[in-house]
Amino acid sequence: MARDLGILVIVVLVLAATCQSAVVSPVSESHRSAALELFSPAHGSYGRLNINTLETHPLRIVFDSQIVDLVFQYKISLALGHVYLEETYEALKTFKVLGIEKKHAIRTSSCASVADTLKSTSSALKDFFDALRVNSILKCELNSEAVRGTQSRLKDSLNGASSLIDFYYSIGGLVLLKEQMSEVDVNLGDADRIFRSIKALGQSDGRWRLSSNNPESSNNAAGIALEALAGVISLATPQIDNSWVSFDFCSFVLANSMKITTLKNDILKLFDGIERYDDGTYYFDEKHVGARGHQSPLSSSASVVRGIAAVAAATSETLNLPGEKIMGLAKFFLGVGVPGSAQDLYHQIDALSYLENIRHVLWKLTSFRTLYNKAHPDLKIYSSDHDFVAALVRVSTLLGSPAPTLSVRLMQIFVSGSKDASVIDQELKFDAVSGMHVLETLPKNIDVGSYIFSFEVIFHNPEHKKTYVSGGRTRVLVHITGVIKIDNAEIVILDGDRGSVENQKKLKLPGDNAVALSANHLQKLRLSFDMSTPFGNAFKPHQAFLKLRHESGVDHIFLVGNSGKKFEIILVKASSLVLLLDFLGLVEKFFYLPGRYNIQLTVGDADMENSFLQPLGFVELDLPDAPEKATRPPPQAVDPYSRYGPKAEITHIFRAPEKRPAKELSLTFLGLVLVPFFGFLAGLVQLGANLKNFPKSTVPSTFAILFHLGIAAVLALYTLFWLKLDLFTTLKALGFLGMFLMFVGHKTLSHLASTSSKLKSV
Amino acid sequence: MGKSATTSDVHALFHSLRSAYAATANHLKIIDLYIVFAIVTAVIQVAYMAIVGSFPFNSFLSGVLSCVGTAVLAVSLRIQVNKDNKEFKDLPPERAFADFVLCNLVLHLVIMNFLG
């Protein structure tokens, strides 16, 4: 019916952010270009990219049919001579995994440096290790003297090694020597002892310590230890010799398989300590800052993956690691995106390549594209058929290479926000040209809204299930949007309680409206409209607001479709939205400001194509006068850049006043305090105090009276001081009164003294 | 047995004190009464503060210290006026009284200022 009305309809599938994580893609061209930028050779070798010393010398190099601008620093200064072997290895390994072929201008100097390092007697153990690693990629020509010298050095350090790092370097060096120079004999006589001493550094939770002095254990060290132990196993494998007795051979094989079993157990224990995020990402992190400084989760996880890969390579049996955790680790490494530092890129790419060797991980990249009707290039089309969409799913491995033959099925569609799901089980068609799986038709009763589509990968070849990890069901959040129709929109002023309509205006939504209404505080305003989807179903938007804005700038916002406690619901249809504003109750909310209020309606939803924010007109409100204690409207925000305009109003926050006692209590105590005074007077009477000594003759008596009056005056001054005066006035008055009192008092008391002395002498 | 002995001792002590006190001069008794009056007022104020809390602490201090101050001045007056006190034999009691009045006035000025 919607189509019959001639309203244009389009249903479009759009990719929204998935509810679990952002779209993460496997290794792609962005990684390659980042690798080229980060691993930029300087001083004849690969060092860390130092922007301060970069001299730009743009050079164009063609590789892999892409043209990339590269910046090289061409100061090959042999005077400096020092080649950073570790960084060189990282760069070379990254390029190798990513498949970047470059003409190595660096090869000669790196090879020279490798040869020098192996020959020199002052090289450290780490240098040997790094040099051999670089050589494993570059495959330089090496002097056999130097090789033999290296081998003996490595064997000596292995015998004298005590810390994990020493074991790792020496064993790693020997393993590399063995693969590169087959004529060199690197067999370990006492493989058992070495194996045990490395194992002694391990802990029960699967982690390793770096040395017996250091109590802190870490996942990073665990990865290193696993690599070293795997190296021991591979070095201990003897070259099959006819002189071997079958008994020795069997015992050897048994010992080896026991070692491998312990390693497998260690790996499983290590996996117990794995951390995870809610979206299924697994990673290894360190709890303590180790001796080698802070290890990031990326480097720790990469180290562990290297260790596991080394163990997997040393044994021909499968490791049986949980597929979910492999997928989680893959998610972690890919979730980093394109790292910004060279070392992080190396860790990421290296770990991904080793993960691929352990189990091939399939990565599903769902992307949805809108298909436009070729006849009408703009979006709006006439369509009698609503399934004009395509969903595209691409499946590939972690490093971007294509996946084996499989099919993707849409299993379920959940309505976002509710529990019910419809089971679809529809297979997507595979388009060989683009390499994508296409969902061509949507199920019939899908309407405007948000849905979660659940996809699953089915392998054609059941063998692949063992070697590939597909990550179960992938859920993708999908919004189906459409143009929502709004009709029966009207705004009404109702009078009185029962609501006889006083003023009714029809609205066109969305469209231009300019209504002019007036109301007083006894009336009500009602706004109502119906919303329906292209298929006629009722639609409830996320946002429907009505804003009333006073001319002074004060806003009031109301939610449409919200029935308050005082309001009546006059008519309720499933699809209609009603807002009833009762001005009587809202008078205080409006701060008693009468005048013109502009009305603005906002209706919107994520799935609604024609969300709108529109002014509707104005309403003149007549409100009663504000009482004394009404709250004032909030001060309007002031433009912070205006220099001479009004500043933002300051609202002071005062300290809460102290709690005062009840009045009655205070008055009681006032009375209580006066009681001792009366007790004093009573006591005086009881003691027989009298005024017999008061002077009788005129002059002394006046002085006596003045004396008492003076004291009374001073006390009165004091009460005045407490009530009203300040100290300076008081002191001035006190000065005068005091002098008067002194004079009078002196007179009186001297008179009294003389009388009493006369009495005594008489 | 011991208890009754002590109680009877206390009674005897009490009686002797009372009779001795009755022998003091009248004007000294008046001063004593004044001192008791001042102290009782102070105690009532402290009780009020204990109930209500010491919020305007300066007022509380001012009230209590005025009572205590005037009691102290009255004590010194009593000492000076007492004829049995050999130390102040040459001091005329009127002079002591004048000192008492003056010191009280100064004390009350300070008190009124601090009352707030």
Side-chain angles (χ1 to χ4, degrees):
Chain A
M1 354 149 216
R3 305 153 207 155
D4 293 341
L5 282 176
I7 295 186
L8 302 175
V9 165
I10 183 172
V11 177
V12 162
L13 271 178
V14 177
L15 174 72
T18 62
C19 44
Q20 289 120 355
S21 59
V23 174
V24 178
S25 58
V27 169
S28 62
E29 287 312 314
S30 45
H31 285 89
R32 293 201 177 84
S33 43
L36 285 164
E37 264 183 48
L38 289 171
F39 288 110
S40 159
H43 299 297
S45 74
Y46 286 101
R48 306 262 189 256
L49 187 63
N50 187 351
I51 304 210
N52 296 333
T53 62
L54 218 55
E55 283 180 18
T56 59
H57 189 117
L59 183 76
R60 284 177 177 266
I61 282 192
V62 178
F63 78 102
D64 277 355
S65 82
Q66 275 207 334
I67 296 179
V68 177
D69 272 295
L70 297 173
V71 173
F72 275 111
Q73 194 180 33
Y74 260 132
K75 286 196 171 199
I76 300 176
S77 64
L78 293 170
L80 285 183
H82 183 59
V83 177
Y84 300 95
L85 283 172
E86 188 181 349
E87 289 82 340
T88 310
Y89 169 68
E90 288 178 0
L92 290 172
K93 183 78 198 293
T94 310
F95 287 148
K96 181 172 165 202
V97 172
L98 289 176
I100 300 176
E101 289 294 326
K102 280 162 77 293
K103 297 181 185 21
H104 289 295
I106 308 305
R107 197 198 149 89
T108 25
S109 49
S110 304
C111 274
S113 179
V114 165
D116 282 335
T117 316
L118 290 181
K119 251 192 296 202
S120 135
T121 46
S122 62
S123 307
L125 194 57
K126 181 175 183 329
D127 293 331
F128 281 127
F129 180 64
D130 286 331
L132 285 169
R133 282 207 289 186
V134 171
N135 191 39
S136 68
I137 299 184
L138 287 180
K139 303 204 187 349
C140 308
E141 294 284 326
L142 287 179
N143 186 354
S144 50
E145 260 302 315
V147 164
R148 263 197 294 279
T150 314
Q151 178 213 357
S152 55
R153 270 293 302 274
L154 286 173
K155 276 204 171 162
D156 290 334
S157 349
L158 182 56
N159 288 333
S162 60
S163 80
L164 189 60
I165 306 281
D166 290 338
F167 276 119
Y168 173 61
Y169 286 145
S170 28
I171 294 174
L174 287 171
V175 168
L176 287 164
L177 261 185
K178 181 174 169 179
E179 355 174 306
Q180 292 162 30
M181 318 268 149
S182 48
E183 66 269 8
V184 174
D185 168 36
V186 287
N187 288 331
L188 295 177
D190 44 357
D192 282 332
R193 179 189 67 86
I194 298 172
F195 195 89
R196 266 199 301 277
S197 27
I198 299 179
K199 274 288 280 176
L201 291 171
Q203 298 203 297
S204 57
D205 62 353
R207 299 183 197 204
W208 250 265
R209 285 172 294 145
L210 281 175
S211 71
S212 41
N213 305 338
N214 196 349
E216 290 167 355
S217 63
S218 63
N219 285 320
N220 193 35
I224 293 174
L226 285 172
E227 273 188 80
L229 288 169
V232 168
I233 292 180
S234 63
L235 284 178
T237 311
Q239 277 136 350
I240 305 298
D241 205 350
N242 288 334
S243 61
W244 275 83
V245 182
S246 58
F247 172 71
D248 289 332
F249 187 68
C250 285
S251 66
F252 170 77
V253 168
L254 199 62
N256 239 24
S257 59
M258 273 170 50
K259 289 199 186 81
I260 290 175
T261 318
T262 47
L263 281 184
K264 280 200 207 170
N265 289 340
D266 287 330
I267 292 177
L268 287 172
K269 269 191 289 186
L270 199 59
F271 265 90
D272 281 338
I274 200 171
E275 313 222 8
R276 69 169 296 206
Y277 289 130
D278 285 334
D279 61 355
T281 306
Y282 284 93
Y283 65 101
F284 288 98
D285 198 3
E286 303 300 353
K287 297 247 180 356
H288 312 289
V289 176
R292 301 170 93 193
H294 178 66
Q295 299 281 343
S296 64
L298 185 60
S299 61
S300 308
S301 311
S303 172
V304 172
V305 167
R306 272 185 223 114
I308 297 174
V311 172
T315 162
S316 54
E317 316 164 18
T318 52
L319 277 181
N320 283 341
L321 292 168
E324 182 199 4
K325 298 210 168 137
I326 301 282
M327 191 70 178
L329 279 171
K331 239 189 200 169
F332 172 68
F333 286 115
L334 284 178
V336 173
V338 180
S341 84
Q343 208 179 29
D344 284 343
L345 183 64
Y346 161 68
H347 284 310
Q348 183 198 34
I349 300 293
D350 200 30
L352 283 174
S353 72
Y354 281 125
L355 265 183
E356 275 290 293
N357 291 342
I358 300 172
R359 283 279 278 278
H360 296 286
V361 182
L362 285 180
W363 200 255
K364 279 200 286 288
L365 181 67
T366 39
S367 73
F368 295 82
R369 251 196 276 155
T370 64
L371 264 194
Y372 307 135
N373 186 0
K374 288 193 187 49
H376 298 262
D378 55 22
L379 268 179
K380 297 203 162 88
I381 57 165
Y382 227 132
S383 173
S384 60
D385 194 317
H386 74 280
D387 40 23
F388 206 84
V389 299
L392 305 168
V393 180
R394 179 207 291 272
V395 186
S396 66
T397 62
L398 283 177
L399 295 174
S401 42
T405 43
L406 43 77
S407 59
V408 179
R409 303 179 82 86
L410 171 63
M411 300 302 291
Q412 277 185 305
I413 297 184
F414 301 87
V415 176
S416 169
S418 81
K419 290 276 180 200
D420 38 272
S422 41
V423 178
I424 311 287
D425 200 2
Q426 183 180 342
E427 182 166 333
L428 280 76
K429 258 211 325 229
F430 181 63
D431 179 18
V433 171
S434 61
M436 311 245 221
H437 300 259
V438 179
L439 174 71
E440 275 189 336
T441 55
L442 271 184
K444 287 292 168 208
N445 49 357
I446 297 282
D447 199 357
V448 172
S450 317
Y451 298 93
I452 298 179
F453 282 22
S454 172
F455 292 96
E456 193 171 332
V457 168
I458 314 280
F459 291 103
H460 287 173
N461 186 353
E463 275 298 311
H464 286 151
K465 262 206 170 170
K466 295 205 200 94
T467 45
Y468 285 84
V469 173
S470 70
R473 295 209 180 166
T474 314
R475 300 165 80 126
V476 181
L477 178 63
V478 159
H479 287 286
I480 298 188
T481 63
V483 171
I484 304 292
K485 197 159 57 78
I486 304 179
D487 37 43
N488 296 340
E490 62 176 13
I491 188 162
V492 180
I493 299 286
L494 300 167
D495 207 10
D497 276 328
R498 268 293 131 182
S500 54
V501 173
E502 181 157 307
N503 197 352
Q504 183 172 17
K505 294 272 167 68
K506 289 261 183 238
L507 298 171
K508 194 160 68 78
L509 289 174
D512 279 326
N513 295 288
V515 298
L517 299 167
S518 67
N520 62 28
H521 64 286
L522 296 169
Q523 295 175 326
K524 301 181 197 181
L525 180 136
R526 188 182 86 209
L527 169 75
S528 61
F529 51 90
D530 296 341
M531 298 181 81
S532 52
T533 69
F535 305 117
N537 298 325
F539 184 79
K540 197 151 183 348
H542 282 154
Q543 300 173 339
F545 305 129
L546 186 75
K547 183 158 92 159
L548 288 176
R549 189 187 172 91
H550 189 241
E551 37 204 5
S552 68
V554 181
D555 291 336
H556 305 278
I557 299 182
F558 304 95
L559 294 175
V560 181
N562 205 2
S563 59
K565 21 187 188 358
K566 289 191 263 213
F567 308 153
E568 278 179 22
I569 301 191
I570 295 166
L571 43 81
V572 183
K573 256 191 334 190
S575 58
S576 71
L577 285 143
V578 179
L579 170 65
L580 188 62
L581 290 179
D582 187 1
F583 290 128
L584 193 60
L586 291 171
V587 159
E588 202 172 312
K589 188 171 175 345
F590 284 156
F591 304 116
Y592 296 93
L593 288 173
R596 180 184 280 224
Y597 282 81
N598 287 319
I599 311 175
Q600 191 184 64
L601 179 65
T602 309
V603 173
D605 190 88
D607 304 323
M608 184 169 150
E609 298 230 341
N610 52 337
S611 310
F612 60 88
L613 188 160
Q614 276 191 339
L616 293 180
F618 64 89
V619 58
E620 290 271 355
L621 270 186
D622 199 7
L623 298 173
D625 293 326
E628 274 250 341
K629 292 274 178 150
T631 46
R632 318 204 65 235
Q636 294 305 302
V638 178
D639 179 16
Y641 291 108
S642 70
R643 201 188 275 258
Y644 302 111
K647 297 237 177 285
E649 201 160 311
I650 306 169
T651 41
H652 300 276
I653 305 173
F654 293 106
R655 182 187 69 172
E658 296 269 346
K659 210 164 61 105
R660 292 308 199 118
K663 217 185 218 181
E664 298 81 20
L665 187 65
S666 305
L667 290 172
T668 322
F669 266 91
L670 185 65
L672 267 183
V673 159
L674 292 176
V675 162
F677 179 64
F678 294 118
F680 175 62
L681 290 177
L684 279 179
V685 167
Q686 199 206 19
L687 278 175
N690 49 37
L691 288 171
K692 285 212 193 94
N693 257 351
F694 200 80
K696 307 250 177 355
S697 44
T698 0
V699 170
S701 70
T702 41
F703 278 134
I705 290 173
L706 280 177
F707 175 62
H708 286 93
L709 282 179
I711 293 183
V714 169
L715 292 178
L717 177 67
Y718 286 167
T719 38
L720 254 181
F721 168 45
W722 184 53
L723 287 174
K724 262 214 257 185
L725 299 174
D726 60 9
L727 188 62
F728 297 107
T729 338
T730 317
L731 283 178
K732 247 196 305 197
L734 189 63
F736 293 126
L737 265 181
M739 285 210 285
F740 166 71
L741 192 62
M742 287 262 262
F743 171 67
V744 167
H746 176 73
K747 280 280 186 215
T748 314
L749 286 171
S750 51
H751 172 81
L752 272 178
S754 59
T755 9
S756 65
S757 67
K758 266 190 230 152
L759 272 174
K760 259 200 244 169
S761 55
V762 166
Chain B
M1 204 132 43
K3 223 182 191 177
S4 58
T6 45
T7 46
S8 63
D9 280 339
V10 165
H11 278 270
L13 188 63
F14 197 55
H15 280 305
S16 68
L17 275 174
R18 272 185 85 176
S19 50
Y21 187 68
T24 50
N26 225 5
H27 56 279
L28 294 177
K29 282 199 211 154
I30 294 174
I31 296 177
D32 287 338
L33 186 62
Y34 180 73
I35 292 171
V36 166
F37 154 60
I39 297 294
V40 167
T41 313
V43 165
I44 291 178
Q45 288 181 52
V46 170
Y48 181 63
M49 184 218 79
I51 293 176
V52 151
S54 69
F55 164 53
F57 193 56
N58 53 323
S59 315
F60 161 68
L61 277 181
S62 138
V64 167
L65 287 180
S66 88
C67 295
V68 169
T70 195
V72 164
L73 289 170
V75 164
S76 78
L77 177 66
R78 190 187 194 280
I79 292 173
Q80 289 173 345
V81 160
N82 197 353
K83 288 197 200 54
D84 301 327
N85 208 343
K86 295 294 175 282
E87 209 174 306
F88 292 100
K89 207 163 40 139
D90 296 327
L91 186 71
E94 284 78 18
R95 171 73 197 280
F97 181 69
D99 286 339
F100 172 73
V101 168
L102 180 67
C103 292
N104 256 317
L105 289 178
V106 170
L107 171 74
H108 281 88
L109 173 69
V110 171
I111 288 300
M112 288 313 230
N113 194 20
F114 196 52
L115 196 58

